[in-house]
Amino acid sequence: MSHSGTPAPATARKSENLRGTVRIPGDKSISHRSFMFGGLAAGETRITGLLEGEDVINTGKAMKAMGARIDKQGDTWIIHGTGNGALLAPEAPLDFGNAGTGCRLTMGLVGVYDFDSIFIGDASLSSRPMGRVLNPLREMGVQVTAMAGDKLPATLHGPKMPNPITYRVPMASAQVKSAVLLAGLNTPGITTVIEPVMTRDHTEKMLQGFGADLSVETDSEGVRTIRLEGRGKLTGQVIDVPGDPSSTAFPLVAALLVPGSDVTIMNVLMNPTRTGLILTLQEMGADIEVMNARNAGGEDVADLRVRHSELKGVSVPPGRAPSMIDEYPVLSVAASFAEGTTIMTGLEELRVKESDRLAAVARGLELNGVDCTEGETSLTVRGVPGGKGLGNAKGGAVKTHLDHRIAMSFLVMGLASQHPVTVDDSRMIVTSFPEFMDLMAGLGARIES
Ligand code: S3P
């Protein structure tokens, strides 16, 4: 997202028979890491299927500013990395736009170097807590200067000799885990991260693929201990990024809600740390057929055939939150059309996303006629099968707070509700899913911006 400009409202209207076969753009988490690890590793990394959303492009720009060479030939991104330990001091502030992942992981990656790196972002990113990453980095010897509270902008300066730590991650956050591990790449000795609740494991898997000396042990209670030997060699890789399950969620839920729909979504990442939404929707009665399940480049991948379904409310166990953390907004929309009540608990992390997603979802649902209750860390939604009375006939707009997933979730809602649903801005959808409007229109969705 740019730092200024005029909002672009969008309105979704009741649609019929969403049909077709679509390919979802590459996974955002893997795309960020592909640019980062490719930019750091010695030799050449070739990436196909990369998500070319603004968030990931900003990560690419940051890696270039620190010495990586990044070019595109046809559909393939070709990176020549600096070699581990050999990033250059960026001459200008690194601007991560809207992207928490790009910013927090790069703070770990470069923060331990003995030079200044300056981090900036848009209004949404500048309101998000950075202390969760900076606290362990301080233990490793990183000085944080020129910062108001724990919000951007921030200047980091690493020590002459970073200190390898053992860090127990206090919240379920793959970004925090990853920032510490990436700092460990340029730290002599063994950096250890203890993860009481498993979160997405792309950093561990991909670093192993690039040749890092990284091991994972899981005890009988599911607590994971990740050990990384620092200052080892990383070597360029060939990566084919699978489709993003978090972006898949939007056409998938739209197909479930719009009568007569039958949509196939190709090449979706099915890593078990990312499939909580599919499991939950299946428990609600969703007709989602998992086809051609296969392994590609070390990740589980499948095609999904989704047909319109009558959904029932469920209680979503809090322990499932890490595997569907970005999908609660669109699940809340699905729950608005289900028979009965859906109870979602363990949602504390939703409050520190691109917006306070718990509040943003609750206000949006209320504006569109949904009976819901927002708790401190929970959301309860009482659904209306068929969507009678849902939507906002007067054109009242959902406040999106620069949050792409709030915008896309409520546009999905308008495809099945009796009245249209309007969002106050749709520009930030390009951060994660630039093809969203065209892809949805191709399936038959009525969305105007
Ligand atoms: C991400 C981790 C999650 C997720 C974000 C991507 C990652 O954030 O919400 O969209 O790629 O590591 P947290 O680590 O803050 O839960």
Side-chain angles (χ1 to χ4, degrees):
M1 279 290 294
S2 65
H3 293 262
S4 58
T6 316
T11 300
R13 290 172 207 284
K14 200 167 175 58
S15 304
E16 280 167 27
N17 305 337
L18 302 184
R19 301 233 161 183
T21 297
V22 291
R23 213 182 157 87
I24 293 290
D27 183 63
K28 182 148 75 82
S29 294
I30 294 181
S31 295
H32 277 300
R33 288 161 173 82
S34 299
F35 265 165
M36 283 177 199
F37 304 165
L40 186 66
E44 186 178 277
T45 289
R46 300 176 77 86
I47 313 168
T48 47
L50 185 95
L51 167 66
E52 296 178 2
E54 277 186 7
D55 281 7
V56 173
I57 297 301
N58 282 331
T59 292
K61 285 184 187 159
M63 294 310 297
K64 269 185 164 175
M66 295 187 289
R69 267 173 41 214
I70 303 183
D71 301 294
K72 196 175 175 193
Q73 280 176 17
D75 291 341
T76 306
W77 288 86
I78 300 172
I79 308 183
H80 290 96
T82 59
N84 187 24
L87 292 176
L88 302 179
E91 284 170 11
L94 301 172
D95 186 349
F96 287 95
N98 196 253
T101 305
C103 181
R104 293 195 177 118
L105 268 59
T106 306
M107 282 179 159
L109 191 71
V110 71
V112 283
Y113 281 65
D114 182 17
F115 53 63
D116 273 351
S117 47
I118 302 172
F119 294 79
I120 61 173
D122 73 1
S124 157
L125 186 56
S126 304
S127 68
R128 298 179 67 183
M130 294 296 150
R132 51 180 51 207
V133 166
L134 298 177
N135 291 339
L137 292 183
R138 284 190 180 99
E139 286 181 37
M140 298 177 88
V142 177
Q143 288 179 53
V144 182
T145 55
M147 195 169 191
D150 72 343
K151 307 281 163 40
L152 295 186
T155 303
L156 308 192
H157 194 119
K160 295 255 173 298
M161 179 71 80
N163 176 38
I165 58 171
T166 295
Y167 191 69
R168 193 179 173 90
V169 185
M171 67 289 286
S173 169
Q175 292 180 1
V176 176
K177 162 178 70 177
S178 301
V180 177
L181 289 172
L182 299 193
L185 286 175
N186 191 37
T187 299
I190 295 180
T191 296
T192 305
V193 176
I194 299 171
E195 189 180 44
V197 181
M198 184 171 182
T199 61
R200 66 191 68 194
D201 59 355
H202 308 304
T203 297
E204 299 91 300
K205 280 181 148 177
M206 290 179 69
L207 281 181
Q208 283 171 332
F210 275 85
D213 184 353
L214 181 147
S215 66
V216 184
E217 251 174 64
T218 307
D219 75 10
S220 55
E221 261 129 54
V223 177
R224 299 172 81 233
T225 301
I226 308 158
R227 291 189 185 84
L228 171 74
E229 171 90 52
R231 300 210 163 159
K233 186 167 184 209
L234 301 180
T235 308
Q237 296 298 302
V238 174
I239 300 169
D240 186 22
V241 183
D244 193 326
S246 299
S247 299
T248 296
F250 302 109
L252 189 155
V253 169
L256 291 175
L257 298 182
V258 172
S261 295
D262 186 348
V263 170
T264 298
I265 307 168
M266 306 293 288
N267 198 39
V268 179
L269 173 68
M270 295 291 281
N271 177 313
T273 63
R274 302 288 300 280
T275 48
L277 176 74
I278 293 176
L279 187 61
T280 302
L281 289 169
Q282 284 172 332
E283 287 172 2
M284 294 172 82
D287 183 351
I288 304 172
E289 195 184 330
V290 178
M291 303 186 305
N292 303 324
R294 56 199 183 270
N295 191 280
E299 287 289 4
D300 294 332
V301 171
D303 307 325
L304 304 177
R305 182 168 180 192
V306 188
R307 280 169 270 206
H308 170 253
S309 309
E310 304 295 339
L311 301 178
K312 288 195 186 56
V314 292
S315 285
V316 187
R320 197 178 290 164
S323 67
M324 53 181 294
I325 193 65
D326 291 335
E327 283 69 79
Y328 283 100
V330 77
L331 174 65
S332 307
V333 166
S336 304
F337 294 84
E339 186 191 328
T341 302
T342 296
I343 303 170
M344 294 162 267
T345 51
L347 305 188
E348 53 278 2
E349 282 295 307
L350 285 196
R351 297 230 179 252
V352 289
K353 295 295 173 190
E354 284 81 333
S355 66
D356 174 346
R357 279 191 181 150
L358 194 37
V361 168
R363 297 299 83 72
L365 293 179
E366 286 160 5
L367 184 76
N368 288 290
V370 180
D371 179 10
C372 66
T373 309
E374 176 193 356
E376 194 43 42
T377 61
S378 66
L379 183 65
T380 301
V381 176
R382 287 163 281 272
V384 181
K388 194 157 189 295
L390 301 189
N392 193 302
K394 294 188 185 142
V398 174
K399 285 199 172 72
T400 50
H401 305 282
L402 292 177
D403 189 329
H404 53 130
R405 297 200 200 281
I406 298 297
M408 289 185 277
S409 298
F410 281 97
L411 290 174
V412 166
M413 180 174 199
L415 303 178
S417 52
Q418 182 185 356
H419 307 296
V421 172
T422 300
V423 297
D424 66 357
D425 198 4
S426 58
R427 290 171 304 161
M428 77 306 267
I429 291 173
V430 297
T431 61
S432 71
F433 196 169
E435 301 82 347
F436 174 78
M437 293 289 191
D438 287 347
L439 184 146
M440 295 301 291
L443 292 174
R446 296 170 63 207
I447 305 178
E448 291 146 31
S449 56

